[in-house]
Coordinates of all heavy atoms in Angstrom, one line a residue:
M1 N -5.5 39.2 37.7 CA -5.0 37.8 37.6 C -5.5 36.9 38.6 O -5.6 37.2 39.7 CB -3.4 37.8 37.5 CG -2.8 37.7 36.1 SD -1.4 36.7 36.2 CE -0.2 38.1 36.6
Q2 N -5.8 35.7 38.3 CA -6.3 34.8 39.3 C -5.1 33.8 39.7 O -4.4 33.3 38.9 CB -7.4 33.9 38.7 CG -8.8 34.6 38.8 CD -9.9 33.7 38.5 OE1 -9.7 32.8 37.7 NE2 -11.0 33.9 39.1
K3 N -5.1 33.6 40.9 CA -4.2 32.6 41.4 C -4.9 31.2 41.6 O -6.0 31.2 42.0 CB -3.6 33.1 42.9 CG -2.6 34.2 42.7 CD -2.1 34.5 44.1 CE -1.1 35.5 44.1 NZ -0.7 35.8 45.5
Q4 N -4.1 30.3 41.3 CA -4.7 28.9 41.6 C -3.7 27.9 42.1 O -3.5 26.8 41.6 CB -5.4 28.3 40.1 CG -4.5 28.6 39.0 CD -5.1 28.0 37.8 OE1 -5.5 26.8 37.8 NE2 -5.2 28.7 36.7
P5 N -2.9 28.3 43.0 CA -1.9 27.4 43.5 C -2.4 26.3 44.4 O -1.8 25.3 44.6 CB -0.9 28.3 44.3 CG -1.7 29.4 44.7 CD -2.8 29.6 43.7
E6 N -3.6 26.7 45.1 CA -4.1 25.7 46.1 C -4.3 24.3 45.5 O -3.9 23.3 46.1 CB -5.3 26.3 46.7 CG -5.0 27.3 47.9 CD -6.3 27.7 48.5 OE1 -7.4 27.6 47.9 OE2 -6.2 28.1 49.7
K7 N -5.1 24.4 44.4 CA -5.4 23.0 43.8 C -4.2 22.3 43.4 O -4.0 21.1 43.4 CB -6.4 23.2 42.7 CG -7.8 23.4 43.2 CD -8.8 23.2 42.1 CE -10.2 23.3 42.6 NZ -11.2 23.3 41.5
L8 N -3.2 23.0 42.7 CA -2.1 22.4 42.2 C -1.2 21.8 43.3 O -0.8 20.6 43.2 CB -1.2 23.5 41.5 CG 0.0 23.0 40.7 CD1 -0.4 22.0 39.6 CD2 0.8 24.1 40.2
T9 N -1.0 22.5 44.5 CA -0.2 21.9 45.5 C -1.0 20.7 46.1 O -0.3 19.8 46.6 CB 0.0 23.0 46.6 OG1 -1.2 23.7 47.0 CG2 1.1 23.9 46.3
E10 N -2.3 20.8 46.2 CA -3.0 19.7 46.7 C -2.8 18.5 45.8 O -2.6 17.3 46.3 CB -4.6 19.9 46.8 CG -4.9 20.7 47.9 CD -6.4 21.2 47.9 OE1 -7.2 20.5 47.2 OE2 -6.7 22.2 48.6
L11 N -2.9 18.7 44.5 CA -2.7 17.6 43.6 C -1.2 17.1 43.7 O -1.1 15.8 43.7 CB -2.9 18.2 42.1 CG -3.0 17.1 41.1 CD1 -4.2 16.3 41.2 CD2 -3.0 17.8 39.7
L12 N -0.3 17.9 43.8 CA 1.2 17.4 43.9 C 1.3 16.7 45.3 O 2.0 15.6 45.2 CB 2.1 18.6 43.9 CG 2.3 19.3 42.6 CD1 3.2 20.5 42.7 CD2 2.8 18.3 41.5
A13 N 0.7 17.1 46.2 CA 0.8 16.4 47.5 C 0.2 15.1 47.4 O 0.7 14.1 47.9 CB 0.1 17.1 48.7
L14 N -0.9 15.0 46.7 CA -1.6 13.6 46.5 C -0.8 12.7 45.7 O -0.6 11.6 46.0 CB -2.9 13.9 45.8 CG -3.9 12.8 45.8 CD1 -4.5 12.6 47.2 CD2 -5.1 13.1 44.9
L15 N -0.2 13.2 44.6 CA 0.7 12.4 43.8 C 1.9 11.9 44.6 O 2.3 10.7 44.4 CB 1.2 13.3 42.6 CG 0.2 13.5 41.4 CD1 0.8 14.4 40.5 CD2 -0.1 12.2 40.7
R16 N 2.5 12.8 45.4 CA 3.6 12.4 46.3 C 3.2 11.3 47.2 O 3.9 10.3 47.4 CB 4.2 13.6 47.0 CG 5.7 13.6 47.0 CD 6.2 15.0 47.6 NE 5.8 16.1 46.6 CZ 5.4 17.3 47.0 NH1 5.1 17.5 48.3 NH2 5.3 18.2 46.3
K17 N 2.0 11.5 47.8 CA 1.5 10.4 48.7 C 1.3 9.0 48.1 O 1.7 8.1 48.6 CB 0.1 11.0 49.3 CG 0.2 11.2 50.8 CD -1.2 11.4 51.3 CE -1.2 12.6 52.3 NZ -2.6 13.0 52.6
T18 N 0.6 9.1 46.9 CA 0.3 7.9 46.3 C 1.4 7.1 45.8 O 1.5 6.0 45.7 CB -0.8 8.1 45.2 OG1 -0.2 9.1 44.3 CG2 -2.0 8.5 45.7
K19 N 2.5 7.9 45.4 CA 3.7 7.3 44.9 C 4.3 6.4 45.9 O 4.9 5.4 45.5 CB 4.6 8.4 44.5 CG 5.4 8.1 43.1 CD 6.3 9.2 42.7 CE 7.1 8.9 41.5 NZ 7.9 10.0 41.2
E20 N 4.3 6.9 47.2 CA 4.9 6.0 48.2 C 4.3 4.7 48.3 O 5.0 3.6 48.6 CB 4.8 6.7 49.6 CG 5.8 7.9 49.7 CD 5.5 8.7 50.9 OE1 4.8 8.2 51.9 OE2 5.9 9.9 51.0
S21 N 2.9 4.6 48.2 CA 2.3 3.3 48.5 C 1.8 2.7 47.1 O 1.0 1.8 47.2 CB 1.2 3.5 49.4 OG 0.2 4.4 48.7
E22 N 2.3 3.1 46.1 CA 1.8 2.6 44.9 C 2.4 1.2 44.5 O 3.6 0.9 44.8 CB 2.2 3.6 43.6 CG 1.2 3.5 42.5 CD 1.3 4.7 41.6 OE1 1.0 5.8 42.1 OE2 1.7 4.5 40.5
I23 N 1.5 0.4 44.0 CA 1.9 -0.9 43.7 C 1.6 -1.2 42.2 O 0.7 -0.6 41.7 CB 1.2 -2.1 44.5 CG1 -0.3 -1.9 44.4 CG2 1.7 -2.0 46.0 CD1 -1.0 -3.1 45.1
D24 N 2.3 -2.1 41.6 CA 2.0 -2.5 40.2 C 1.1 -3.6 40.1 O 0.6 -4.3 41.0 CB 3.2 -2.6 39.3 CG 4.1 -3.7 39.7 OD1 3.6 -4.6 40.4 OD2 5.3 -3.7 39.5
C25 N 0.7 -3.9 38.8 CA -0.3 -5.0 38.7 C 0.2 -6.3 39.1 O -0.7 -7.1 39.8 CB -0.7 -5.1 37.2 SG -1.4 -3.6 36.5
D26 N 1.5 -6.6 38.9 CA 2.0 -7.9 39.5 C 1.8 -8.0 40.9 O 1.4 -9.0 41.5 CB 3.5 -8.1 39.1 CG 3.6 -8.4 37.6 OD1 2.6 -8.8 37.0 OD2 4.7 -8.2 37.1
E27 N 2.2 -7.0 41.6 CA 2.0 -6.9 43.0 C 0.7 -7.0 43.5 O 0.4 -7.7 44.5 CB 2.7 -5.6 43.6 CG 4.2 -5.7 43.7 CD 4.8 -4.4 44.1 OE1 4.7 -3.4 43.4 OE2 5.1 -4.2 45.3
F28 N -0.2 -6.3 42.7 CA -1.6 -6.4 43.1 C -2.1 -7.9 43.1 O -2.9 -8.4 44.0 CB -2.4 -5.6 42.1 CG -3.9 -5.7 42.5 CD1 -4.5 -4.8 43.4 CD2 -4.7 -6.5 41.8 CE1 -5.8 -4.8 43.8 CE2 -6.1 -6.6 42.0 CZ -6.6 -5.8 43.1
W29 N -1.8 -8.6 42.1 CA -2.3 -9.9 42.0 C -1.6 -11.0 42.7 O -2.0 -12.1 42.8 CB -2.3 -10.4 40.4 CG -3.4 -9.6 39.8 CD1 -3.3 -8.6 38.9 CD2 -4.8 -9.8 39.9 NE1 -4.5 -8.1 38.6 CE2 -5.4 -8.8 39.2 CE3 -5.6 -10.6 40.8 CZ2 -6.9 -8.6 39.1 CZ3 -6.9 -10.5 40.7 CH2 -7.6 -9.5 39.8
E30 N -0.5 -10.6 43.5 CA 0.1 -11.5 44.4 C -0.9 -11.8 45.6 O -1.0 -12.8 46.1 CB 1.4 -10.9 45.1 CG 2.6 -11.2 44.2 CD 3.8 -10.5 44.8 OE1 3.9 -10.2 45.9 OE2 4.8 -10.2 43.9
K31 N -1.6 -10.7 46.0 CA -2.6 -10.8 47.0 C -4.0 -10.5 46.7 O -4.9 -10.5 47.4 CB -2.2 -9.9 48.2 CG -0.9 -10.4 48.9 CD -0.6 -9.7 50.1 CE 0.7 -10.3 50.8 NZ 1.1 -9.5 51.9
G32 N -4.2 -10.1 45.4 CA -5.5 -9.7 44.9 C -6.6 -10.9 45.2 O -7.7 -10.5 45.7
P33 N -6.2 -12.1 44.8 CA -7.2 -13.1 45.1 C -7.6 -13.3 46.6 O -8.8 -13.5 47.0 CB -6.4 -14.4 44.6 CG -5.5 -13.9 43.6 CD -5.1 -12.6 44.1
S34 N -6.6 -13.1 47.5 CA -7.0 -13.1 48.9 C -7.9 -12.0 49.3 O -8.8 -12.2 50.1 CB -5.7 -13.1 49.8 OG -4.6 -13.9 49.3
L35 N -7.6 -10.9 48.7 CA -8.4 -9.7 49.0 C -9.9 -9.8 48.6 O -10.8 -9.5 49.1 CB -7.7 -8.4 48.3 CG -8.5 -7.1 48.6 CD1 -8.6 -6.7 50.0 CD2 -7.8 -6.1 47.8
A36 N -10.0 -10.5 47.4 CA -11.3 -10.8 46.8 C -12.1 -11.7 47.7 O -13.4 -11.5 47.8 CB -11.2 -11.5 45.4
E37 N -11.4 -12.5 48.5 CA -12.1 -13.4 49.3 C -12.4 -12.8 50.7 O -13.6 -12.9 51.2 CB -11.2 -14.7 49.6 CG -11.3 -15.8 48.6 CD -10.5 -17.0 49.1 OE1 -11.0 -17.8 50.0 OE2 -9.4 -17.1 48.7
S38 N -11.5 -12.0 51.2 CA -11.7 -11.2 52.4 C -10.8 -10.1 52.5 O -9.6 -10.2 52.3 CB -11.5 -12.3 53.6 OG -11.5 -11.5 54.8
T39 N -11.4 -9.0 52.9 CA -10.5 -7.8 53.1 C -9.6 -7.9 54.4 O -8.7 -7.2 54.5 CB -11.3 -6.5 53.4 OG1 -12.3 -6.7 54.3 CG2 -12.0 -6.1 52.0
T40 N -9.8 -8.9 55.3 CA -9.0 -9.1 56.5 C -7.8 -9.8 56.2 O -6.9 -10.0 57.0 CB -9.9 -9.9 57.5 OG1 -10.3 -11.1 57.0 CG2 -11.1 -9.1 58.0
A41 N -7.7 -10.3 54.9 CA -6.4 -11.0 54.4 C -5.2 -10.0 54.4 O -4.1 -10.5 54.4 CB -6.6 -11.6 53.2
L42 N -5.5 -8.7 54.4 CA -4.4 -7.7 54.3 C -4.5 -6.8 55.5 O -5.5 -6.5 56.1 CB -4.6 -6.9 53.0 CG -4.7 -7.6 51.7 CD1 -4.9 -6.7 50.6 CD2 -3.4 -8.4 51.5
N43 N -3.3 -6.3 55.8 CA -3.2 -5.2 56.9 C -3.7 -3.9 56.4 O -3.8 -3.7 55.2 CB -1.9 -5.2 57.6 CG -0.8 -4.6 56.7 OD1 -1.0 -3.7 55.9 ND2 0.4 -5.3 56.8
A44 N -3.9 -2.9 57.2 CA -4.4 -1.7 56.7 C -3.6 -0.9 55.7 O -4.2 -0.4 54.8 CB -4.6 -0.8 58.0
D45 N -2.2 -1.0 55.8 CA -1.4 -0.4 54.8 C -1.5 -1.1 53.5 O -1.7 -0.4 52.5 CB 0.1 -0.4 55.3 CG 0.3 0.6 56.4 OD1 -0.6 1.5 56.5 OD2 1.4 0.6 56.9
E46 N -1.5 -2.3 53.5 CA -1.7 -3.1 52.2 C -3.0 -2.8 51.6 O -3.1 -2.6 50.4 CB -1.5 -4.6 52.5 CG -0.1 -5.0 52.8 CD 0.0 -6.5 53.1 OE1 -0.9 -7.0 53.8 OE2 1.0 -7.1 52.6
L47 N -4.0 -2.9 52.4 CA -5.4 -2.6 51.9 C -5.6 -1.3 51.3 O -6.1 -1.2 50.2 CB -6.3 -2.7 53.1 CG -7.8 -2.8 52.8 CD1 -8.1 -4.0 51.9 CD2 -8.8 -2.9 54.1
A48 N -4.9 -0.3 51.9 CA -5.0 1.0 51.2 C -4.4 1.1 49.8 O -4.9 1.8 49.0 CB -4.3 2.1 52.2
S49 N -3.1 0.5 49.8 CA -2.5 0.6 48.4 C -3.1 -0.3 47.5 O -3.1 0.0 46.3 CB -1.0 0.2 48.6 OG -0.8 -0.9 49.4
F50 N -3.7 -1.4 47.9 CA -4.5 -2.3 46.9 C -5.8 -1.6 46.5 O -6.1 -1.7 45.3 CB -4.8 -3.6 47.6 CG -3.8 -4.7 47.6 CD1 -2.5 -4.4 48.1 CD2 -3.9 -5.8 46.8 CE1 -1.5 -5.3 48.0 CE2 -2.8 -6.7 46.7 CZ -1.7 -6.5 47.2
L51 N -6.5 -0.9 47.4 CA -7.7 -0.2 47.0 C -7.3 0.9 46.1 O -8.0 1.2 45.2 CB -8.5 0.3 48.1 CG -9.1 -0.8 49.0 CD1 -9.7 -0.2 50.2 CD2 -10.1 -1.6 48.2
H52 N -6.2 1.5 46.3 CA -5.7 2.6 45.5 C -5.4 2.1 44.0 O -5.7 2.7 43.0 CB -4.4 3.3 46.1 CG -3.9 4.4 45.2 ND1 -4.5 5.5 45.0 CD2 -2.8 4.4 44.4 CE1 -3.8 6.3 44.2 NE2 -2.7 5.6 43.8
H53 N -4.8 1.0 44.0 CA -4.5 0.4 42.6 C -5.8 0.1 41.9 O -5.9 0.3 40.7 CB -3.7 -0.9 42.7 CG -3.2 -1.5 41.5 ND1 -2.1 -0.8 40.8 CD2 -3.7 -2.4 40.7 CE1 -2.0 -1.6 39.7 NE2 -2.9 -2.4 39.6
L54 N -6.8 -0.3 42.6 CA -8.1 -0.6 42.0 C -8.7 0.7 41.4 O -9.3 0.6 40.3 CB -9.1 -1.3 43.0 CG -8.9 -2.7 43.3 CD1 -9.9 -3.1 44.2 CD2 -9.0 -3.6 42.0
E55 N -8.4 1.7 42.1 CA -9.0 3.1 41.5 C -8.2 3.5 40.4 O -8.8 4.0 39.4 CB -8.9 4.1 42.7 CG -10.1 4.1 43.7 CD -9.9 5.0 44.8 OE1 -9.2 6.0 44.6 OE2 -10.4 4.7 45.9
M56 N -7.0 3.2 40.4 CA -6.1 3.8 39.3 C -6.1 2.9 38.1 O -5.7 3.3 37.1 CB -4.6 3.9 39.8 CG -4.5 4.8 41.0 SD -5.3 6.5 40.8 CE -3.8 7.2 39.7
C57 N -6.3 1.6 38.2 CA -6.1 0.7 37.1 C -7.4 0.0 36.8 O -7.8 -0.9 37.4 CB -5.0 -0.3 37.7 SG -4.6 -1.6 36.4
P58 N -8.1 0.5 35.7 CA -9.3 -0.1 35.2 C -9.3 -1.6 34.9 O -10.2 -2.3 35.1 CB -9.7 0.7 34.0 CG -8.9 2.0 34.1 CD -7.6 1.6 34.8
G59 N -8.1 -2.0 34.4 CA -8.0 -3.4 34.0 C -8.0 -4.3 35.2 O -8.7 -5.3 35.2
C60 N -7.3 -4.0 36.2 CA -7.3 -4.7 37.4 C -8.7 -4.7 38.1 O -9.2 -5.8 38.7 CB -6.2 -4.4 38.4 SG -4.6 -5.0 37.9
R61 N -9.3 -3.5 38.1 CA -10.6 -3.4 38.8 C -11.6 -4.4 38.1 O -12.4 -5.1 38.7 CB -11.0 -2.0 38.7 CG -12.4 -1.8 39.5 CD -12.6 -0.3 39.6 NE -12.7 0.4 38.4 CZ -12.4 1.6 38.1 NH1 -11.8 2.3 39.0 NH2 -12.6 2.2 37.0
E62 N -11.6 -4.4 36.8 CA -12.4 -5.3 36.1 C -12.2 -6.7 36.5 O -13.1 -7.5 36.7 CB -12.2 -5.1 34.6 CG -13.4 -5.6 33.7 CD -13.2 -5.2 32.2 OE1 -12.9 -4.0 31.9 OE2 -13.3 -6.1 31.4
N63 N -11.0 -7.2 36.4 CA -10.7 -8.5 36.7 C -11.0 -8.9 38.1 O -11.4 -10.0 38.5 CB -9.1 -8.9 36.4 CG -8.8 -8.9 35.0 OD1 -9.7 -9.3 34.2 ND2 -7.6 -8.5 34.6
F64 N -10.8 -8.0 39.0 CA -11.1 -8.1 40.4 C -12.5 -8.3 40.6 O -13.0 -9.2 41.4 CB -10.5 -6.8 41.2 CG -10.6 -7.0 42.7 CD1 -9.8 -7.9 43.4 CD2 -11.5 -6.3 43.5 CE1 -9.9 -8.0 44.7 CE2 -11.6 -6.4 44.8 CZ -10.7 -7.3 45.4
E65 N -13.3 -7.5 39.9 CA -14.8 -7.6 40.0 C -15.3 -9.0 39.5 O -16.1 -9.6 40.1 CB -15.5 -6.5 39.3 CG -15.3 -5.1 39.9 CD -15.9 -5.0 41.3 OE1 -16.9 -5.7 41.6 OE2 -15.4 -4.2 42.0
I66 N -14.6 -9.4 38.5 CA -15.0 -10.8 37.9 C -14.7 -11.9 39.0 O -15.5 -12.7 39.3 CB -14.3 -11.0 36.6 CG1 -14.8 -10.1 35.5 CG2 -14.3 -12.5 36.2 CD1 -13.9 -10.1 34.3
L67 N -13.4 -11.7 39.5 CA -13.0 -12.7 40.5 C -13.9 -12.7 41.7 O -14.3 -13.8 42.2 CB -11.6 -12.3 41.0 CG -10.9 -13.3 41.9 CD1 -10.7 -14.6 41.3 CD2 -9.5 -12.8 42.4
K68 N -14.3 -11.6 42.1 CA -15.2 -11.5 43.3 C -16.5 -12.1 43.1 O -17.1 -12.8 43.9 CB -15.4 -10.0 43.7 CG -14.5 -9.6 44.9 CD -14.6 -8.1 45.2 CE -15.8 -7.6 45.8 NZ -15.7 -6.2 46.3
S69 N -17.1 -11.9 41.8 CA -18.4 -12.5 41.5 C -18.3 -14.0 41.4 O -19.3 -14.6 41.8 CB -19.0 -11.8 40.3 OG -18.3 -12.1 39.2
I70 N -17.1 -14.5 40.9 CA -17.0 -15.9 40.9 C -16.9 -16.5 42.3 O -17.6 -17.5 42.6 CB -15.6 -16.3 40.1 CG1 -15.8 -15.9 38.6 CG2 -15.3 -17.7 40.3 CD1 -14.5 -16.0 37.9
L71 N -16.2 -15.9 43.1 CA -16.0 -16.3 44.6 C -17.4 -16.3 45.2 O -17.7 -17.2 46.0 CB -15.1 -15.4 45.3 CG -13.6 -15.7 44.9 CD1 -12.8 -14.6 45.6 CD2 -13.1 -17.1 45.5
K72 N -18.2 -15.2 44.9 CA -19.5 -15.1 45.6 C -20.4 -16.3 45.1 O -21.0 -16.8 45.9 CB -20.1 -13.7 45.2 CG -21.1 -13.3 46.2 CD -21.7 -11.8 45.7 CE -23.0 -11.7 46.3 NZ -23.9 -10.9 45.5
D73 N -20.4 -16.5 43.8 CA -21.2 -17.6 43.3 C -20.9 -18.9 44.0 O -21.8 -19.7 44.3 CB -21.0 -17.7 41.7 CG -21.7 -16.6 41.0 OD1 -22.5 -16.0 41.6 OD2 -21.6 -16.4 39.8
S74 N -19.6 -19.2 44.0 CA -19.2 -20.5 44.6 C -19.5 -20.6 46.1 O -19.8 -21.7 46.6 CB -17.7 -20.8 44.4 OG -16.9 -19.8 45.0
Q75 N -19.4 -19.5 46.8 CA -19.9 -19.5 48.2 C -21.3 -19.7 48.3 O -21.8 -20.4 49.2 CB -19.5 -18.2 48.8 CG -18.0 -18.1 49.3 CD -17.4 -16.7 49.7 OE1 -18.3 -15.8 49.7 NE2 -16.2 -16.6 50.0
E76 N -22.1 -19.0 47.4 CA -23.6 -19.3 47.5 C -24.0 -20.7 47.2 O -24.9 -21.2 47.8 CB -24.3 -18.3 46.6 CG -24.4 -16.9 47.2 CD -24.8 -15.9 46.2 OE1 -25.1 -16.2 45.1 OE2 -24.8 -14.7 46.5
Q77 N -23.2 -21.3 46.2 CA -23.6 -22.8 46.0 C -23.3 -23.7 47.2 O -24.0 -24.6 47.3 CB -22.7 -23.1 44.8 CG -23.4 -22.7 43.4 CD -22.5 -22.9 42.3 OE1 -21.4 -23.5 42.4 NE2 -22.8 -22.3 41.1
Q78 N -22.2 -23.3 47.9 CA -21.9 -24.2 49.0 C -23.0 -24.2 50.1 O -23.2 -25.1 50.7 CB -20.5 -23.8 49.6 CG -19.3 -24.3 48.9 CD -18.1 -23.6 49.2 OE1 -18.0 -22.9 50.3 NE2 -17.0 -23.8 48.5
C79 N -23.6 -23.1 50.2 CA -24.6 -22.9 51.4 C -25.9 -23.7 51.2 O -26.4 -23.8 50.1 CB -25.0 -21.4 51.6 SG -23.6 -20.6 52.4
Ligands
ZN101 ZN1 -3.3 -2.9 37.7

């Protein structure tokens, strides 16, 4: 018989960790626009949970990328 507890415990530990700092879409978009402008708008803890949300939530990631490209365009036009 093969044992495979290592990966399972790792996964559970990861789930437990992410649960603590998980934010939902509403929370994400409270500061998402600031984050799109500059990552320094958030502290390290916030940044970690926001980036985690982007990884977990394809919908927000898509909108976030769009927002970022819009901001980039308008910054380039100003210069
Ligand atoms: Zn989301």
Side-chain angles (χ1 to χ4, degrees):
M1 258 212 275
Q2 275 191 330
K3 284 185 181 178
Q4 44 175 310
E6 276 185 337
K7 278 192 175 175
L8 187 65
T9 46
E10 275 173 26
L11 193 67
L12 287 174
L14 195 69
L15 282 172
R16 223 171 287 136
K17 244 189 226 172
T18 55
K19 217 177 181 182
E20 283 171 21
S21 61
E22 211 160 291
I23 56 173
D24 62 24
C25 297
D26 286 343
E27 284 174 284
F28 180 85
W29 288 108
E30 274 176 26
K31 289 187 177 174
S34 319
L35 179 62
E37 277 184 82
S38 165
T39 51
T40 55
L42 304 177
N43 67 40
D45 282 349
E46 286 177 320
L47 193 59
S49 48
F50 273 64
L51 292 178
H52 175 71
H53 187 80
L54 280 179
E55 275 174 27
M56 302 301 288
C57 183
C60 282
R61 187 166 61 215
E62 199 174 309
N63 288 330
F64 187 72
E65 290 301 327
I66 293 169
L67 184 64
K68 260 170 77 172
S69 65
I70 292 170
L71 285 169
K72 205 179 156 214
D73 282 351
S74 61
Q75 275 167 6
E76 276 168 9
Q77 276 167 14
Q78 279 168 12
C79 286

